[in-house]
Amino acid sequence: MKITEDFIKEILKHDYSDDFQRIYDNNLLLQYLDKKMKAVHGNSKTRRSLANIYAIYSILHFYIDDYFNKPQEYRQFGGYDYMCLFNFYRGLYGGIKLQNHALNSRVNGEFRNKFPTISNDLIIADNGKYLLHIDYLYVGKKDISKTACKIIEKYIDLLVAKDYSLINILQYMQNITNYSEKSSR
C-alpha cells in the first residue's frame, strides 16, 4: 500500500530503515493516521481531524510512559481515565474546544469505515476507561507506538507552521499602507 504523506514515509524510514514499508502495510493505525493527515495540504477550511488524532495521541502518550514494549502488562491494563485523557488533549494545540465524541465513538466509527474487515475497535472503552487495542500497537514484536506519536507530533508541527505563516502574512498586510500592494497579495 502506498504511503501518501511524505513526512510519514520519512519518519517510517528513519525508524525502520529498509523494513518501513512492511511495517506500514501491516499496521492499520499507521495507515489510518496517513489517511487522516491531508490537512497539511489544504487551506484554512480543511478539516484537520484533531479530535480523532488527539484521542489516539493522548492514549499513546500515556501508554509509552507506562507500557511501551510491555505487551503482557498492557494486556492486563484496564485503561486510562476519561478525564485524564480529555484534559490532556484539550491542552494540545487547537484542542481547547474539542469535545468527547472522538474518545466515545467517532474514532472507532471512522476506523471501521476505512477498514471494514477489522474485528476489533481501535479504542476500547470500558466504564470511563480507554485504551488502544494491542493489535494496532504492534507489528510482530515491534511496538510502533513511538513512531505513531512522532507522526502525530510532526503533523501538528506542520499545521502550526502553516498557521503562523498565515498569521505573518496577515500581520504584514495589516501594516501595508499602499492599498494597491494589499490587493496584489
Side-chain angles (χ1 to χ4, degrees):
M1 179 174 291
K2 183 173 177 5
I3 302 169
T4 58
E5 295 300 328
D6 290 337
F7 74 93
I8 292 175
K9 188 174 189 176
E10 290 306 312
I11 291 169
L12 289 169
K13 279 184 177 180
H14 178 268
D15 286 3
Y16 303 109
S17 57
D18 294 338
D19 205 24
F20 78 94
Q21 188 66 54
R22 184 188 69 79
I23 297 292
Y24 178 83
D25 290 343
N26 287 289
N27 189 270
L28 297 180
L29 174 57
L30 296 174
Q31 293 173 32
Y32 177 76
L33 292 174
D34 189 28
K35 292 172 189 274
K36 294 300 289 179
M37 297 184 166
K38 305 295 180 228
V40 295
H41 309 292
N43 60 30
S44 63
K45 300 216 185 255
T46 303
R47 171 165 258 172
R48 295 175 169 205
S49 301
L50 290 180
N52 290 13
I53 291 168
Y54 282 173
I56 294 166
Y57 183 70
S58 62
I59 297 170
L60 285 171
H61 171 80
F62 293 105
Y63 164 85
I64 288 169
D65 287 342
D66 299 334
Y67 296 102
F68 180 77
N69 267 334
K70 298 177 187 173
Q72 297 312 322
E73 290 96 329
Y74 187 66
R75 288 181 200 282
Q76 305 306 312
F77 179 57
Y80 293 103
D81 181 67
Y82 167 77
M83 286 308 294
C84 175
L85 297 172
F86 185 64
N87 289 331
F88 178 79
Y89 77 69
R90 290 206 57 194
L92 298 171
Y93 180 78
I96 193 68
K97 292 185 180 183
L98 296 178
Q99 298 175 348
N100 65 344
H101 309 304
L103 277 171
N104 286 333
S105 64
R106 186 175 294 152
V107 172
N108 286 334
E110 285 192 6
F111 198 72
R112 283 198 177 280
N113 285 341
K114 298 209 181 303
F115 309 106
T117 61
I118 63 168
S119 57
N120 298 311
D121 284 337
L122 175 61
I123 296 178
I124 300 168
D126 184 25
N127 292 323
K129 303 280 188 183
Y130 299 84
L131 66 154
L132 294 173
H133 197 287
I134 197 165
D135 288 354
Y136 306 114
L137 295 173
Y138 284 85
V139 174
K141 294 189 183 278
K142 289 185 183 186
D143 187 330
I144 59 87
S145 60
K146 287 185 179 181
T147 301
C149 275
K150 286 180 194 176
I151 289 169
I152 293 168
E153 289 162 358
K154 181 63 176 181
Y155 175 69
I156 299 308
D157 288 347
L158 292 169
L159 291 179
V160 168
K162 191 176 195 178
D163 289 350
Y164 281 108
S165 174
L166 176 60
I167 289 168
N168 288 335
I169 290 168
L170 293 173
Q171 287 173 339
Y172 173 77
M173 289 181 68
Q174 197 172 24
N175 294 327
I176 294 175
T177 55
N178 180 342
Y179 290 107
S180 63
E181 189 177 345
K182 275 188 182 184
S183 65
S184 68
R185 286 268 168 193

